[in-house]
Amino acid sequence: MSAAAKDRPAGWLALLACFFASGFAALLYQTAWTREFGAVFGTSELAVATVLAAYMGGLACGAALAGRFASRARRPVLAYGVLELGIALAALAVPLAIRGATALQVALLGGRELPADAGGVASASFYLACAFVILLVPTTLMGATLPLLARHAVRSDREVGPRIGTLYAVNTAGAIGGTLVCGFLLLPALGLRGTVWIGVATNALVFLLAALVERALPARKQLEAARAAAREALAPPLRHARAILPIALLSGAVSFAYEVLWTRLLGHVLGGSIYAFATMLASVLVGIAIGGALGARFATQPRAAARGFAWAQLATALLAIAAFRALDWVPALAAWIGAGSSADLAANAALAMAILVPPALAIGTTFPFAVRVLARGPEDASPASARVYAWNTAGAITGSIAAGFFVLPALGYAGTLAAAAGANLLLAVAAALLAGSRGTAAAVALAVALLAFARPSEPWRLLRTSPLSGRPTGGDVTYFAVGRAATVLVLRRDGRQDLRTNGLPESSFQPRGSRPGTELVAPWLSALPAAARPELARLMVVGLGGGLAVEDVPAHVGRVDIVELEPEVVEANRAFAAWRREDPLADPRIDVRTNDARSALLLSDARYDAIVSQPSHPWGAGASHLYTREFFALAKSRLAPGGVFVQWIGLSFVDEDLLRSLLATLLDVFPHVRVYRPQPMGALFLASDAPIDVERSALRAIPLSRDDFARTGVVAAEDFAASLSLDERGARALAQGAEISTDDRNRLATRSPKVLGSPLGPAGADRLFAAHDPMRPPPPELDASYLVRRMAAFGAVERAAAVAAAVADPGDRVAASAALALQRGRA
């Protein structure tokens, strides 16, 4: 046995360990960079998609370059290690480059009077160009690693498919580890910067290990001699073998279309948190890793590999259709096994994995099959793997963008699935013809007939399901649209129209003739800043939702700019304009822009007297970046002197630690912060750079728009005082020592999904705020009897009793207690 042959087992295992670590680090970077770009450029679907496209574009460039030069590498293992070290160094420069791109973005696209609409050619081109340039070096280096290792690892014709497939599978397995560790451990514990440093350390370790492997290898002449001695008679090349490249491109496009489809659908069960996304991505990668290993086993000869590719496409189509149908039963299965909400992530994730792994497995086999079809022998393994990887990745870029921006909105979920499955079947026919396999072509023809007669329908049970409950919601579907960022569904229930995005409840449209919902917190989103600043002339509202926040904007407010992330939410509001109690979009003062709030504020020079932020679910990608110090500072920079910022939070989404953290984050930016609770389930944070005294300023504001305030349930200053839970002194006392939430360590994004099963809730908030109650005793200028009556009407009966008992004047104390008793009797 030659020295080279003796060396190979240990060296091969060491290289597999290196490539596993490479995949691990690559997914750490991808997750961190996507969130970092989202925080800076905005979390709109456009920004996220362009970052992903730039990432994959760099991988394709790296593979293409490696296809040209890898075969010339005399020491490919050491070259691979140097690439890993280069990735680490380039990754450290990415945050600095992003800051530079932000400054350039403001210089080129900023300075607007109105918040910009997303989706314009200028914005799209800028996002893509910046992301591509910033990520070009590290991702290009990543894309070149597989061809270099293939150059070293493949030494005989029979090893082409098995070795390439094994490398692919092991790298994907590392990506699974990186996805789960990043989402569940590193981001919550270390933040974005710490996660990147773990990736850098991993790359550096790979470099050292690769250098050790290179030193242990025999002399290059011995290796080349061993390669020549082991070279077997080559199988005859397939005719038109290069046709596998465009087939691989289209296969990559279809595969990523499936990934976009599954991500959107599983959001109804797993939710939109980083944990849910990591779980979904890991499920897909598990299937791809297993598929790569299976493909490696059977991709031994070009003709057999072409037949395998055809059968893989056929299996992908059939298994994807089966998975699509099975997804509609996930809510029922989750209820049966006791997983009733997104808090039961483990059980829901197990269901998702069981459904998604089979079609992903079929997808995973295609890469080693395609390489084996193209490669003419061991010397061609490296350039062939590079070409297939580059073409397949280019297809993935096209598929992800096309599916998210065009195909899904145009065809819906069922139509997108049918189109993707049909494409798989056409690719199967092409591969079967390449292999000269009539039997495979006949099986595909039968599958085409089955698809034509059994086209799937929309998964209505799943689409009705909320991640919060894990169960479908009743009611008739009156509006349905698949948008670029969310699925928008309206259900008619109990005489109202309930608006949902990705299954999550947003708001309701009330019918004409109904009374305003004075028990809701939404009307206060415009009433509170208008009372705090009676001179309010220009208001911005982040998030349209059901439009309840702007149905009754006080008349003295001159202008309202609304920024909404999902255009289909705006269309849903328009669809019910004639049916609902009030059509806020008919108000000439209101202007709606579809964009991410951070991007809109960054590019606008407008100054507002008040900014209201009401993203509904703080763990989602489109909302979590609106609860950090950086966003609050951006909002403050767009406020006129003395302007106010209002932040809503649902008490079902936070515990004591998160609420105190949010309060501390606001106080780190604004010197004056108050907390109001006009409704038990929600809290409004009122912040400003100037002192706040709503109870006094309301005396000037209410006469300016008396009817509008009255529809909100406000007729006197005591109505605001009754909902005041923390004044500025109490806010600072409660926030003392709490951790601040930042873009780097986004506490709402990482912790909010974990507290859904045991949130603070109204009772917890009552206990938390009681020690700092600003109304114990109530100020003497307020009507104590009316005050406690309004507190009871807000649902704070125990607080009202405590305030009544704290009234200083004995006569007023008796009157307040009597008023409370009367209110209780009415209730």
Side-chain angles (χ1 to χ4, degrees), residues 558-581:
R559 176 176 179 165
V560 182
D561 293 334
I562 300 175
V563 179
E564 168 58 47
L565 184 61
E566 175 51 62
E568 288 297 340
V569 170
V570 182
E571 293 305 314
N573 276 267
R574 288 176 177 149
F576 292 91
W579 181 89
R580 64 189 297 175
R581 181 184 72 86

Side-chain angles (χ1 to χ4, degrees), residues 713-734:
V714 172
V715 296
E718 285 81 0
D719 292 308
F720 289 106
S723 68
L724 178 62
S725 293
L726 294 175
D727 59 11
E728 296 174 30
R729 183 172 59 181
R732 289 201 169 275
L734 187 60

Side-chain angles (χ1 to χ4, degrees), residues 35 187-188 191 618 623-628 741-751:
R35 293 193 67 81
L187 281 178
S624 61
H625 289 307
L626 304 183
Y627 290 91
T628 65
S741 184
T742 65
D743 285 347
D744 182 42
R745 298 192 65 177
N746 191 329
R747 306 199 74 234
L748 270 295
T750 57
R751 289 209 67 245

Side-chain angles (χ1 to χ4, degrees), residues 433-728:
L433 293 175
L434 189 63
S437 176
R438 296 181 180 178
T440 305
V444 173
L446 178 60
V448 171
L450 290 175
L451 179 62
F453 285 101
R455 179 174 174 173
S457 60
E458 298 290 355
W460 292 113
R461 278 186 293 267
L462 184 67
L463 295 176
R464 291 168 175 270
T465 299
S466 167
L468 299 178
S469 66
R471 292 174 174 80
T473 305
D476 298 327
V477 176
T478 53
Y479 185 89
F480 170 67
V482 181
R484 293 179 176 178
T487 302
V488 179
L489 192 71
V490 180
L491 298 170
R492 185 172 58 221
R493 304 173 63 218
D494 303 325
R496 66 179 188 273
Q497 307 281 354
D498 290 344
L499 174 68
R500 294 171 174 267
T501 58
N502 294 330
L504 293 166
E506 292 285 348
S507 186
S508 295
F509 304 134
Q510 303 296 327
R512 282 195 179 277
S514 62
R515 297 181 60 188
T518 55
E519 78 284 356
L520 300 176
V521 71
W524 277 63
L525 290 168
S526 57
L528 183 60
R533 297 293 183 257
E535 66 281 3
L536 196 159
R538 190 169 185 180
L539 169 69
M540 170 184 271
V541 177
V542 176
L544 174 61
L548 296 181
V550 290
E551 277 189 349
D552 297 297
V553 177
H556 69 274
V557 177
R559 176 176 179 165
V560 182
D561 293 334
I562 300 175
V563 179
E564 168 58 47
L565 184 61
E566 175 51 62
E568 288 297 340
V569 170
V570 182
E571 293 305 314
N573 276 267
R574 288 176 177 149
F576 292 91
W579 181 89
R580 64 189 297 175
R581 181 184 72 86
E582 292 283 346
D583 175 19
L585 301 186
D587 189 333
R589 297 176 296 171
I590 290 178
D591 181 74
V592 181
R593 298 293 169 128
T594 54
N595 203 339
D596 174 85
R598 291 182 69 147
S599 180
L601 286 172
L602 186 68
L603 300 180
S604 173
D605 281 345
R607 289 295 181 268
Y608 293 92
D609 300 302
I611 296 175
V612 173
S613 182
Q614 57 159 349
S616 298
H617 306 98
W619 59 86
S624 61
H625 289 307
L626 304 183
Y627 290 91
T628 65
R629 177 176 58 194
E630 288 81 358
F631 173 68
F632 295 155
L634 177 60
K636 181 183 178 183
S637 71
R638 296 299 183 264
L639 287 172
V644 294
F645 176 78
V646 178
Q647 175 69 62
W648 173 87
I649 190 66
L651 298 180
S652 297
F653 308 143
V654 294
D655 59 4
E656 177 180 340
D657 176 61
L658 275 182
L659 189 137
R660 292 179 62 243
S661 177
L662 183 57
L663 194 56
T665 304
L666 277 165
L667 282 165
D668 191 62
V669 175
F670 295 95
H672 306 280
V673 177
R674 286 184 166 199
V675 179
Y676 287 82
R677 286 182 65 204
Q679 189 260 357
M681 290 301 298
L684 297 178
F685 297 81
L686 181 65
S688 180
D689 62 353
I692 304 170
D693 191 348
V694 176
E695 293 68 48
R696 290 185 182 275
S697 58
L699 297 175
R700 293 187 290 117
I702 291 174
L704 298 175
S705 308
R706 193 174 299 277
D707 291 342
D708 297 315
F709 278 111
R711 282 194 291 271
T712 307
V714 172
V715 296
E718 285 81 0
D719 292 308
F720 289 106
S723 68
L724 178 62
S725 293
L726 294 175
D727 59 11
E728 296 174 30

Side-chain angles (χ1 to χ4, degrees), residues 131-145:
F132 185 77
V133 170
I134 291 171
L135 300 182
L136 179 62
V137 173
T139 55
T140 298
L141 297 178
M142 290 178 192
T145 55

